[in-house]
Amino acid sequence: MKSRKKITKDSLIGEIMAKRPELADVLAEEYGLHCVGCGMATMETLEMGAKAHGMKTREIAQMILKLNKV
């Protein structure tokens, strides 16, 4: 069984999309983060992107838990 590196608040959005493209729909549809096509995705962490979209720390933590379960 291949183990995956856990997604954290410090994971770059671009890296998440490159390694786990199936999460694009989860981020966009469930959390309103359409960062997949954004030019900042290569430089922005998941936390930075989420906060830029108005998410609170607790919401970000819950999102990260879900992303790691998918």
Side-chain angles (χ1 to χ4, degrees), residues 9-51:
K9 65 183 178 84
D10 298 317
S11 298
L12 294 176
I13 296 169
E15 286 181 5
I16 295 169
M17 293 302 95
K19 294 176 182 172
R20 305 277 309 277
E22 71 275 15
L23 296 179
D25 287 340
V26 176
L27 288 171
E29 311 242 339
E30 293 186 35
Y31 298 101
L33 299 178
H34 301 276
C35 305
V36 181
C38 175
M40 292 299 293
T42 59
M43 299 176 279
E44 200 167 58
T45 66
L46 187 55
E47 179 181 50
M48 291 165 60
K51 284 189 173 186

